[in-house]
Amino acid sequence: MTVTAARRAWLTDLPVLLVAVVWGSSYLAAKGVTTGQTVLAVLVLRFGLVLPVLVITGWRKLRALSGAQIRGAGLLGLVLAGIFLLETYGVVHTSATNAGLIISLTMIFTPIAESRMHGTGLPRSFVAAAGLSVLGIVLLTQGAGFTEPSLGDLLMLGAALARTVHVLAMSRMRSVQGADAMSLTTVQLSSAVLVFAVLCAVPGTGAMPWAAAADFGLGDWLWLLHLSVFCTLFAFFVQMWAVRRTSPSRVSLLLGTEPVWAAVVGITLAGDRPGWLGLLGIVLILAGTAWGRTAADPVAKADPAKTDPAGGQPVAAEPQGAPSVVEPAEADGTHPGLKPAGRA
């Protein structure tokens, strides 16, 4: 590779790596702005700020969607809504570090689910990697002493399973195959925001969006804008740009560093103290998920149907991270349009 080519590759990789960093910070941002009574309100505000930009930017292609594509994306949006709810409620009840690492199990769950669907076996190396990740999760959640996992840990585990469902549904749903990624993301987010708005109207589900916004201080607004502008819009458009300049596999590899940044942010900025067992768990999770991605890669390449029709990346949030929000279809996942589109 020439010096010029290497510089060009670095200039493409750097923005994608920044996406992984902001996704890793999304769990701390979600904790900073959200309480148990404002989860739905924050979700409405976060994606309500994003949708107009996506609609205006992609209006022409959005209008070109067929009725079947809109209905399919709308159904995927319902799953996406579930991911964001689990992630956001989960991050409220656990640490930012735990949230960011537990959700990374999507990279393990997805190949397992695919192998069950196809009746095929998984490489022994992948099974070993999965076992390593599970052991890491046990140590991470029990770092301060062996107790029952927190409610937040269990919700994040549910979010990882939901992301797996979303990725598989997106890759298998014929009605959305071949559709424009931005348009699919816009419809999915619209469907998810509609769910959040309806739930907000149910008595006892927490503050209404305008009431929560009125109580926000400067710090709350900064966290919310971070989730909307950087973890969603910036992340989505960088991925769209990068996939055209490099390969989906390279983008996916860089985005796969998100759990590392979640741990770094959680420990250095959020003040999470997982203990020695927890730190060992973090190392095992990162090693297991990285090994698992590598071990499962030959299987995915052997079956083209396993890649996302929109370009090989999961479209999902977060809240995910978000559900980072819409992550372009992750090979593993959202992380759903853009993190889910993971992140928190």
Side-chain angles (χ1 to χ4, degrees), residues 50-87:
V50 167
L51 277 174
V53 178
L54 292 178
V55 170
I56 293 171
T57 305
W59 178 246
R60 185 171 301 176
K61 291 183 178 180
L62 191 61
R63 291 182 61 189
L65 290 179
S66 67
Q69 289 172 331
I70 292 174
R71 288 190 295 273
L75 289 175
L76 288 171
L78 299 181
V79 181
L80 194 61
I83 294 170
F84 288 134
L85 288 170
L86 287 168
E87 283 191 2

PDB file of all heavy atoms in Angstrom, residues 50-87:
ATOM      1  N   VAL A  50     -34.238  13.691  15.485  1.00  0.00           N
ATOM      2  CA  VAL A  50     -33.516  13.082  14.367  1.00  0.00           C
ATOM      3  C   VAL A  50     -34.386  12.913  13.127  1.00  0.00           C
ATOM      4  O   VAL A  50     -33.933  13.139  11.997  1.00  0.00           O
ATOM      5  CB  VAL A  50     -32.971  11.697  14.804  1.00  0.00           C
ATOM      6  CG1 VAL A  50     -32.491  10.898  13.604  1.00  0.00           C
ATOM      7  CG2 VAL A  50     -31.856  11.865  15.819  1.00  0.00           C
ATOM      8  N   LEU A  51     -35.620  12.512  13.317  1.00  0.00           N
ATOM      9  CA  LEU A  51     -36.481  12.146  12.187  1.00  0.00           C
ATOM     10  C   LEU A  51     -36.629  13.238  11.132  1.00  0.00           C
ATOM     11  O   LEU A  51     -36.554  12.936   9.929  1.00  0.00           O
ATOM     12  CB  LEU A  51     -37.855  11.702  12.702  1.00  0.00           C
ATOM     13  CG  LEU A  51     -37.941  10.241  13.148  1.00  0.00           C
ATOM     14  CD1 LEU A  51     -39.295   9.945  13.772  1.00  0.00           C
ATOM     15  CD2 LEU A  51     -37.678   9.309  11.971  1.00  0.00           C
ATOM     16  N   PRO A  52     -36.869  14.494  11.502  1.00  0.00           N
ATOM     17  CA  PRO A  52     -37.008  15.520  10.455  1.00  0.00           C
ATOM     18  C   PRO A  52     -35.797  15.603   9.529  1.00  0.00           C
ATOM     19  O   PRO A  52     -35.947  15.777   8.316  1.00  0.00           O
ATOM     20  CB  PRO A  52     -37.197  16.819  11.254  1.00  0.00           C
ATOM     21  CG  PRO A  52     -37.767  16.377  12.554  1.00  0.00           C
ATOM     22  CD  PRO A  52     -37.111  15.061  12.844  1.00  0.00           C
ATOM     23  N   VAL A  53     -34.601  15.452  10.091  1.00  0.00           N
ATOM     24  CA  VAL A  53     -33.385  15.508   9.270  1.00  0.00           C
ATOM     25  C   VAL A  53     -33.341  14.330   8.303  1.00  0.00           C
ATOM     26  O   VAL A  53     -33.030  14.483   7.110  1.00  0.00           O
ATOM     27  CB  VAL A  53     -32.131  15.503  10.163  1.00  0.00           C
ATOM     28  CG1 VAL A  53     -30.870  15.523   9.304  1.00  0.00           C
ATOM     29  CG2 VAL A  53     -32.152  16.693  11.103  1.00  0.00           C
ATOM     30  N   LEU A  54     -33.675  13.131   8.794  1.00  0.00           N
ATOM     31  CA  LEU A  54     -33.669  11.952   7.928  1.00  0.00           C
ATOM     32  C   LEU A  54     -34.727  12.061   6.834  1.00  0.00           C
ATOM     33  O   LEU A  54     -34.487  11.688   5.679  1.00  0.00           O
ATOM     34  CB  LEU A  54     -33.912  10.692   8.769  1.00  0.00           C
ATOM     35  CG  LEU A  54     -32.807  10.299   9.747  1.00  0.00           C
ATOM     36  CD1 LEU A  54     -33.216   9.068  10.540  1.00  0.00           C
ATOM     37  CD2 LEU A  54     -31.495  10.039   9.018  1.00  0.00           C
ATOM     38  N   VAL A  55     -35.909  12.572   7.193  1.00  0.00           N
ATOM     39  CA  VAL A  55     -36.992  12.697   6.203  1.00  0.00           C
ATOM     40  C   VAL A  55     -36.604  13.691   5.113  1.00  0.00           C
ATOM     41  O   VAL A  55     -36.755  13.417   3.916  1.00  0.00           O
ATOM     42  CB  VAL A  55     -38.307  13.129   6.891  1.00  0.00           C
ATOM     43  CG1 VAL A  55     -39.355  13.497   5.839  1.00  0.00           C
ATOM     44  CG2 VAL A  55     -38.832  11.997   7.782  1.00  0.00           C
ATOM     45  N   ILE A  56     -36.107  14.850   5.520  1.00  0.00           N
ATOM     46  CA  ILE A  56     -35.749  15.886   4.543  1.00  0.00           C
ATOM     47  C   ILE A  56     -34.592  15.426   3.650  1.00  0.00           C
ATOM     48  O   ILE A  56     -34.619  15.594   2.432  1.00  0.00           O
ATOM     49  CB  ILE A  56     -35.375  17.198   5.266  1.00  0.00           C
ATOM     50  CG1 ILE A  56     -36.619  17.780   5.955  1.00  0.00           C
ATOM     51  CG2 ILE A  56     -34.794  18.209   4.284  1.00  0.00           C
ATOM     52  CD1 ILE A  56     -36.320  18.950   6.866  1.00  0.00           C
ATOM     53  N   THR A  57     -33.596  14.802   4.277  1.00  0.00           N
ATOM     54  CA  THR A  57     -32.418  14.365   3.516  1.00  0.00           C
ATOM     55  C   THR A  57     -32.755  13.264   2.507  1.00  0.00           C
ATOM     56  O   THR A  57     -32.236  13.259   1.389  1.00  0.00           O
ATOM     57  CB  THR A  57     -31.321  13.856   4.469  1.00  0.00           C
ATOM     58  OG1 THR A  57     -31.022  14.874   5.423  1.00  0.00           O
ATOM     59  CG2 THR A  57     -30.058  13.497   3.711  1.00  0.00           C
ATOM     60  N   GLY A  58     -33.608  12.349   2.913  1.00  0.00           N
ATOM     61  CA  GLY A  58     -33.889  11.213   2.035  1.00  0.00           C
ATOM     62  C   GLY A  58     -35.292  11.180   1.467  1.00  0.00           C
ATOM     63  O   GLY A  58     -35.799  10.094   1.130  1.00  0.00           O
ATOM     64  N   TRP A  59     -35.934  12.353   1.342  1.00  0.00           N
ATOM     65  CA  TRP A  59     -37.333  12.403   0.941  1.00  0.00           C
ATOM     66  C   TRP A  59     -37.595  11.722  -0.400  1.00  0.00           C
ATOM     67  O   TRP A  59     -38.550  10.979  -0.567  1.00  0.00           O
ATOM     68  CB  TRP A  59     -37.809  13.847   0.890  1.00  0.00           C
ATOM     69  CG  TRP A  59     -39.238  14.004   0.428  1.00  0.00           C
ATOM     70  CD1 TRP A  59     -39.689  14.593  -0.700  1.00  0.00           C
ATOM     71  CD2 TRP A  59     -40.405  13.543   1.125  1.00  0.00           C
ATOM     72  NE1 TRP A  59     -41.048  14.555  -0.763  1.00  0.00           N
ATOM     73  CE2 TRP A  59     -41.529  13.904   0.347  1.00  0.00           C
ATOM     74  CE3 TRP A  59     -40.604  12.859   2.330  1.00  0.00           C
ATOM     75  CZ2 TRP A  59     -42.825  13.597   0.723  1.00  0.00           C
ATOM     76  CZ3 TRP A  59     -41.910  12.550   2.700  1.00  0.00           C
ATOM     77  CH2 TRP A  59     -42.999  12.914   1.905  1.00  0.00           C
ATOM     78  N   ARG A  60     -36.716  11.942  -1.380  1.00  0.00           N
ATOM     79  CA  ARG A  60     -36.947  11.389  -2.719  1.00  0.00           C
ATOM     80  C   ARG A  60     -36.956   9.862  -2.689  1.00  0.00           C
ATOM     81  O   ARG A  60     -37.852   9.224  -3.255  1.00  0.00           O
ATOM     82  CB  ARG A  60     -35.880  11.902  -3.679  1.00  0.00           C
ATOM     83  CG  ARG A  60     -36.102  11.491  -5.129  1.00  0.00           C
ATOM     84  CD  ARG A  60     -35.139  12.213  -6.046  1.00  0.00           C
ATOM     85  NE  ARG A  60     -35.303  13.665  -5.946  1.00  0.00           N
ATOM     86  CZ  ARG A  60     -34.529  14.538  -6.584  1.00  0.00           C
ATOM     87  NH1 ARG A  60     -33.538  14.103  -7.345  1.00  0.00           N
ATOM     88  NH2 ARG A  60     -34.739  15.831  -6.458  1.00  0.00           N
ATOM     89  N   LYS A  61     -35.975   9.273  -2.032  1.00  0.00           N
ATOM     90  CA  LYS A  61     -35.919   7.810  -1.963  1.00  0.00           C
ATOM     91  C   LYS A  61     -36.986   7.252  -1.031  1.00  0.00           C
ATOM     92  O   LYS A  61     -37.470   6.130  -1.229  1.00  0.00           O
ATOM     93  CB  LYS A  61     -34.523   7.362  -1.503  1.00  0.00           C
ATOM     94  CG  LYS A  61     -33.444   7.626  -2.541  1.00  0.00           C
ATOM     95  CD  LYS A  61     -32.096   7.104  -2.082  1.00  0.00           C
ATOM     96  CE  LYS A  61     -31.041   7.335  -3.165  1.00  0.00           C
ATOM     97  NZ  LYS A  61     -29.702   6.830  -2.742  1.00  0.00           N
ATOM     98  N   LEU A  62     -37.353   8.037  -0.034  1.00  0.00           N
ATOM     99  CA  LEU A  62     -38.405   7.604   0.885  1.00  0.00           C
ATOM    100  C   LEU A  62     -39.724   7.448   0.138  1.00  0.00           C
ATOM    101  O   LEU A  62     -40.474   6.489   0.349  1.00  0.00           O
ATOM    102  CB  LEU A  62     -38.544   8.624   2.019  1.00  0.00           C
ATOM    103  CG  LEU A  62     -39.408   8.244   3.217  1.00  0.00           C
ATOM    104  CD1 LEU A  62     -38.855   7.013   3.907  1.00  0.00           C
ATOM    105  CD2 LEU A  62     -39.457   9.409   4.202  1.00  0.00           C
ATOM    106  N   ARG A  63     -40.004   8.382  -0.762  1.00  0.00           N
ATOM    107  CA  ARG A  63     -41.241   8.315  -1.545  1.00  0.00           C
ATOM    108  C   ARG A  63     -41.233   7.137  -2.510  1.00  0.00           C
ATOM    109  O   ARG A  63     -42.298   6.674  -2.947  1.00  0.00           O
ATOM    110  CB  ARG A  63     -41.420   9.612  -2.333  1.00  0.00           C
ATOM    111  CG  ARG A  63     -41.728  10.825  -1.472  1.00  0.00           C
ATOM    112  CD  ARG A  63     -41.943  12.052  -2.332  1.00  0.00           C
ATOM    113  NE  ARG A  63     -43.073  11.878  -3.246  1.00  0.00           N
ATOM    114  CZ  ARG A  63     -43.382  12.717  -4.213  1.00  0.00           C
ATOM    115  NH1 ARG A  63     -42.630  13.796  -4.416  1.00  0.00           N
ATOM    116  NH2 ARG A  63     -44.430  12.491  -4.987  1.00  0.00           N
ATOM    117  N   ALA A  64     -40.057   6.650  -2.854  1.00  0.00           N
ATOM    118  CA  ALA A  64     -39.953   5.546  -3.815  1.00  0.00           C
ATOM    119  C   ALA A  64     -40.208   4.181  -3.182  1.00  0.00           C
ATOM    120  O   ALA A  64     -40.332   3.182  -3.894  1.00  0.00           O
ATOM    121  CB  ALA A  64     -38.571   5.562  -4.458  1.00  0.00           C
ATOM    122  N   LEU A  65     -40.308   4.110  -1.861  1.00  0.00           N
ATOM    123  CA  LEU A  65     -40.581   2.838  -1.204  1.00  0.00           C
ATOM    124  C   LEU A  65     -41.959   2.312  -1.591  1.00  0.00           C
ATOM    125  O   LEU A  65     -42.916   3.076  -1.688  1.00  0.00           O
ATOM    126  CB  LEU A  65     -40.501   2.984   0.316  1.00  0.00           C
ATOM    127  CG  LEU A  65     -39.134   3.223   0.956  1.00  0.00           C
ATOM    128  CD1 LEU A  65     -39.290   3.370   2.463  1.00  0.00           C
ATOM    129  CD2 LEU A  65     -38.168   2.090   0.635  1.00  0.00           C
ATOM    130  N   SER A  66     -42.048   1.028  -1.781  1.00  0.00           N
ATOM    131  CA  SER A  66     -43.345   0.414  -2.078  1.00  0.00           C
ATOM    132  C   SER A  66     -44.126   0.226  -0.791  1.00  0.00           C
ATOM    133  O   SER A  66     -43.570   0.300   0.321  1.00  0.00           O
ATOM    134  CB  SER A  66     -43.129  -0.939  -2.756  1.00  0.00           C
ATOM    135  OG  SER A  66     -42.533  -1.864  -1.842  1.00  0.00           O
ATOM    136  N   GLY A  67     -45.418  -0.077  -0.927  1.00  0.00           N
ATOM    137  CA  GLY A  67     -46.243  -0.316   0.250  1.00  0.00           C
ATOM    138  C   GLY A  67     -45.731  -1.492   1.058  1.00  0.00           C
ATOM    139  O   GLY A  67     -45.730  -1.457   2.295  1.00  0.00           O
ATOM    140  N   ALA A  68     -45.278  -2.551   0.382  1.00  0.00           N
ATOM    141  CA  ALA A  68     -44.761  -3.729   1.081  1.00  0.00           C
ATOM    142  C   ALA A  68     -43.490  -3.392   1.862  1.00  0.00           C
ATOM    143  O   ALA A  68     -43.286  -3.862   2.988  1.00  0.00           O
ATOM    144  CB  ALA A  68     -44.467  -4.850   0.080  1.00  0.00           C
ATOM    145  N   GLN A  69     -42.635  -2.562   1.266  1.00  0.00           N
ATOM    146  CA  GLN A  69     -41.404  -2.164   1.950  1.00  0.00           C
ATOM    147  C   GLN A  69     -41.703  -1.313   3.179  1.00  0.00           C
ATOM    148  O   GLN A  69     -41.062  -1.466   4.222  1.00  0.00           O
ATOM    149  CB  GLN A  69     -40.498  -1.409   0.984  1.00  0.00           C
ATOM    150  CG  GLN A  69     -39.883  -2.288  -0.092  1.00  0.00           C
ATOM    151  CD  GLN A  69     -39.143  -1.495  -1.153  1.00  0.00           C
ATOM    152  OE1 GLN A  69     -39.492  -0.336  -1.434  1.00  0.00           O
ATOM    153  NE2 GLN A  69     -38.131  -2.097  -1.753  1.00  0.00           N
ATOM    154  N   ILE A  70     -42.675  -0.429   3.061  1.00  0.00           N
ATOM    155  CA  ILE A  70     -43.045   0.416   4.202  1.00  0.00           C
ATOM    156  C   ILE A  70     -43.618  -0.435   5.327  1.00  0.00           C
ATOM    157  O   ILE A  70     -43.276  -0.256   6.503  1.00  0.00           O
ATOM    158  CB  ILE A  70     -44.054   1.498   3.768  1.00  0.00           C
ATOM    159  CG1 ILE A  70     -43.369   2.504   2.828  1.00  0.00           C
ATOM    160  CG2 ILE A  70     -44.633   2.218   4.985  1.00  0.00           C
ATOM    161  CD1 ILE A  70     -44.306   3.527   2.240  1.00  0.00           C
ATOM    162  N   ARG A  71     -44.488  -1.386   4.965  1.00  0.00           N
ATOM    163  CA  ARG A  71     -45.072  -2.260   5.996  1.00  0.00           C
ATOM    164  C   ARG A  71     -43.989  -3.121   6.650  1.00  0.00           C
ATOM    165  O   ARG A  71     -43.988  -3.305   7.874  1.00  0.00           O
ATOM    166  CB  ARG A  71     -46.154  -3.141   5.374  1.00  0.00           C
ATOM    167  CG  ARG A  71     -47.427  -2.384   5.007  1.00  0.00           C
ATOM    168  CD  ARG A  71     -48.541  -3.347   4.629  1.00  0.00           C
ATOM    169  NE  ARG A  71     -48.231  -4.089   3.403  1.00  0.00           N
ATOM    170  CZ  ARG A  71     -48.501  -3.656   2.179  1.00  0.00           C
ATOM    171  NH1 ARG A  71     -49.080  -2.473   2.006  1.00  0.00           N
ATOM    172  NH2 ARG A  71     -48.213  -4.396   1.116  1.00  0.00           N
ATOM    173  N   GLY A  72     -43.071  -3.641   5.848  1.00  0.00           N
ATOM    174  CA  GLY A  72     -41.995  -4.460   6.407  1.00  0.00           C
ATOM    175  C   GLY A  72     -41.111  -3.657   7.340  1.00  0.00           C
ATOM    176  O   GLY A  72     -40.763  -4.110   8.438  1.00  0.00           O
ATOM    177  N   ALA A  73     -40.736  -2.441   6.913  1.00  0.00           N
ATOM    178  CA  ALA A  73     -39.904  -1.590   7.762  1.00  0.00           C
ATOM    179  C   ALA A  73     -40.660  -1.182   9.022  1.00  0.00           C
ATOM    180  O   ALA A  73     -40.070  -1.065  10.101  1.00  0.00           O
ATOM    181  CB  ALA A  73     -39.464  -0.353   6.992  1.00  0.00           C
ATOM    182  N   GLY A  74     -41.970  -0.967   8.885  1.00  0.00           N
ATOM    183  CA  GLY A  74     -42.780  -0.617  10.054  1.00  0.00           C
ATOM    184  C   GLY A  74     -42.780  -1.728  11.088  1.00  0.00           C
ATOM    185  O   GLY A  74     -42.692  -1.478  12.297  1.00  0.00           O
ATOM    186  N   LEU A  75     -42.875  -2.992  10.618  1.00  0.00           N
ATOM    187  CA  LEU A  75     -42.833  -4.128  11.538  1.00  0.00           C
ATOM    188  C   LEU A  75     -41.461  -4.240  12.208  1.00  0.00           C
ATOM    189  O   LEU A  75     -41.367  -4.504  13.413  1.00  0.00           O
ATOM    190  CB  LEU A  75     -43.152  -5.424  10.781  1.00  0.00           C
ATOM    191  CG  LEU A  75     -44.600  -5.606  10.327  1.00  0.00           C
ATOM    192  CD1 LEU A  75     -44.741  -6.865   9.478  1.00  0.00           C
ATOM    193  CD2 LEU A  75     -45.532  -5.686  11.547  1.00  0.00           C
ATOM    194  N   LEU A  76     -40.407  -4.017  11.423  1.00  0.00           N
ATOM    195  CA  LEU A  76     -39.067  -4.026  12.008  1.00  0.00           C
ATOM    196  C   LEU A  76     -38.922  -2.918  13.051  1.00  0.00           C
ATOM    197  O   LEU A  76     -38.212  -3.069  14.040  1.00  0.00           O
ATOM    198  CB  LEU A  76     -38.011  -3.838  10.910  1.00  0.00           C
ATOM    199  CG  LEU A  76     -37.782  -5.029   9.979  1.00  0.00           C
ATOM    200  CD1 LEU A  76     -36.872  -4.625   8.818  1.00  0.00           C
ATOM    201  CD2 LEU A  76     -37.183  -6.206  10.734  1.00  0.00           C
ATOM    202  N   GLY A  77     -39.625  -1.798  12.814  1.00  0.00           N
ATOM    203  CA  GLY A  77     -39.600  -0.697  13.762  1.00  0.00           C
ATOM    204  C   GLY A  77     -40.183  -1.073  15.111  1.00  0.00           C
ATOM    205  O   GLY A  77     -39.764  -0.542  16.149  1.00  0.00           O
ATOM    206  N   LEU A  78     -41.151  -1.995  15.110  1.00  0.00           N
ATOM    207  CA  LEU A  78     -41.726  -2.454  16.379  1.00  0.00           C
ATOM    208  C   LEU A  78     -40.682  -3.218  17.190  1.00  0.00           C
ATOM    209  O   LEU A  78     -40.589  -3.070  18.410  1.00  0.00           O
ATOM    210  CB  LEU A  78     -42.944  -3.347  16.116  1.00  0.00           C
ATOM    211  CG  LEU A  78     -44.116  -2.689  15.377  1.00  0.00           C
ATOM    212  CD1 LEU A  78     -45.260  -3.687  15.222  1.00  0.00           C
ATOM    213  CD2 LEU A  78     -44.599  -1.438  16.120  1.00  0.00           C
ATOM    214  N   VAL A  79     -39.894  -4.040  16.490  1.00  0.00           N
ATOM    215  CA  VAL A  79     -38.804  -4.754  17.171  1.00  0.00           C
ATOM    216  C   VAL A  79     -37.762  -3.754  17.663  1.00  0.00           C
ATOM    217  O   VAL A  79     -37.237  -3.865  18.772  1.00  0.00           O
ATOM    218  CB  VAL A  79     -38.150  -5.776  16.219  1.00  0.00           C
ATOM    219  CG1 VAL A  79     -37.041  -6.537  16.948  1.00  0.00           C
ATOM    220  CG2 VAL A  79     -39.187  -6.752  15.674  1.00  0.00           C
ATOM    221  N   LEU A  80     -37.477  -2.760  16.818  1.00  0.00           N
ATOM    222  CA  LEU A  80     -36.516  -1.732  17.194  1.00  0.00           C
ATOM    223  C   LEU A  80     -36.974  -0.989  18.446  1.00  0.00           C
ATOM    224  O   LEU A  80     -36.168  -0.675  19.329  1.00  0.00           O
ATOM    225  CB  LEU A  80     -36.344  -0.753  16.032  1.00  0.00           C
ATOM    226  CG  LEU A  80     -35.149   0.199  16.083  1.00  0.00           C
ATOM    227  CD1 LEU A  80     -33.840  -0.578  16.090  1.00  0.00           C
ATOM    228  CD2 LEU A  80     -35.184   1.142  14.889  1.00  0.00           C
ATOM    229  N   ALA A  81     -38.274  -0.716  18.526  1.00  0.00           N
ATOM    230  CA  ALA A  81     -38.812  -0.052  19.712  1.00  0.00           C
ATOM    231  C   ALA A  81     -38.555  -0.889  20.961  1.00  0.00           C
ATOM    232  O   ALA A  81     -38.175  -0.368  22.019  1.00  0.00           O
ATOM    233  CB  ALA A  81     -40.308   0.193  19.540  1.00  0.00           C
ATOM    234  N   GLY A  82     -38.751  -2.203  20.833  1.00  0.00           N
ATOM    235  CA  GLY A  82     -38.487  -3.086  21.961  1.00  0.00           C
ATOM    236  C   GLY A  82     -37.030  -3.048  22.388  1.00  0.00           C
ATOM    237  O   GLY A  82     -36.711  -3.060  23.583  1.00  0.00           O
ATOM    238  N   ILE A  83     -36.123  -2.980  21.392  1.00  0.00           N
ATOM    239  CA  ILE A  83     -34.692  -2.908  21.695  1.00  0.00           C
ATOM    240  C   ILE A  83     -34.374  -1.646  22.483  1.00  0.00           C
ATOM    241  O   ILE A  83     -33.695  -1.680  23.513  1.00  0.00           O
ATOM    242  CB  ILE A  83     -33.866  -2.933  20.394  1.00  0.00           C
ATOM    243  CG1 ILE A  83     -34.017  -4.280  19.687  1.00  0.00           C
ATOM    244  CG2 ILE A  83     -32.386  -2.652  20.689  1.00  0.00           C
ATOM    245  CD1 ILE A  83     -33.421  -4.301  18.290  1.00  0.00           C
ATOM    246  N   PHE A  84     -34.885  -0.504  21.992  1.00  0.00           N
ATOM    247  CA  PHE A  84     -34.597   0.762  22.660  1.00  0.00           C
ATOM    248  C   PHE A  84     -35.167   0.794  24.066  1.00  0.00           C
ATOM    249  O   PHE A  84     -34.542   1.327  24.993  1.00  0.00           O
ATOM    250  CB  PHE A  84     -35.171   1.923  21.851  1.00  0.00           C
ATOM    251  CG  PHE A  84     -34.416   2.211  20.582  1.00  0.00           C
ATOM    252  CD1 PHE A  84     -35.089   2.423  19.393  1.00  0.00           C
ATOM    253  CD2 PHE A  84     -33.042   2.272  20.565  1.00  0.00           C
ATOM    254  CE1 PHE A  84     -34.404   2.688  18.222  1.00  0.00           C
ATOM    255  CE2 PHE A  84     -32.338   2.531  19.414  1.00  0.00           C
ATOM    256  CZ  PHE A  84     -33.020   2.746  18.226  1.00  0.00           C
ATOM    257  N   LEU A  85     -36.365   0.239  24.248  1.00  0.00           N
ATOM    258  CA  LEU A  85     -36.975   0.221  25.578  1.00  0.00           C
ATOM    259  C   LEU A  85     -36.143  -0.622  26.543  1.00  0.00           C
ATOM    260  O   LEU A  85     -35.858  -0.198  27.674  1.00  0.00           O
ATOM    261  CB  LEU A  85     -38.401  -0.321  25.490  1.00  0.00           C
ATOM    262  CG  LEU A  85     -39.424   0.616  24.839  1.00  0.00           C
ATOM    263  CD1 LEU A  85     -40.734  -0.124  24.576  1.00  0.00           C
ATOM    264  CD2 LEU A  85     -39.683   1.839  25.720  1.00  0.00           C
ATOM    265  N   LEU A  86     -35.752  -1.822  26.096  1.00  0.00           N
ATOM    266  CA  LEU A  86     -34.950  -2.686  26.955  1.00  0.00           C
ATOM    267  C   LEU A  86     -33.598  -2.046  27.274  1.00  0.00           C
ATOM    268  O   LEU A  86     -33.138  -2.064  28.424  1.00  0.00           O
ATOM    269  CB  LEU A  86     -34.741  -4.040  26.269  1.00  0.00           C
ATOM    270  CG  LEU A  86     -35.959  -4.966  26.207  1.00  0.00           C
ATOM    271  CD1 LEU A  86     -35.687  -6.126  25.252  1.00  0.00           C
ATOM    272  CD2 LEU A  86     -36.301  -5.491  27.600  1.00  0.00           C
ATOM    273  N   GLU A  87     -32.955  -1.473  26.251  1.00  0.00           N
ATOM    274  CA  GLU A  87     -31.650  -0.855  26.460  1.00  0.00           C
ATOM    275  C   GLU A  87     -31.724   0.334  27.413  1.00  0.00           C
ATOM    276  O   GLU A  87     -30.891   0.486  28.307  1.00  0.00           O
ATOM    277  CB  GLU A  87     -31.071  -0.391  25.121  1.00  0.00           C
ATOM    278  CG  GLU A  87     -30.504  -1.490  24.262  1.00  0.00           C
ATOM    279  CD  GLU A  87     -29.722  -0.945  23.080  1.00  0.00           C
ATOM    280  OE1 GLU A  87     -29.606   0.287  22.958  1.00  0.00           O
ATOM    281  OE2 GLU A  87     -29.223  -1.755  22.284  1.00  0.00           O
TER     282      GLU A  87
END
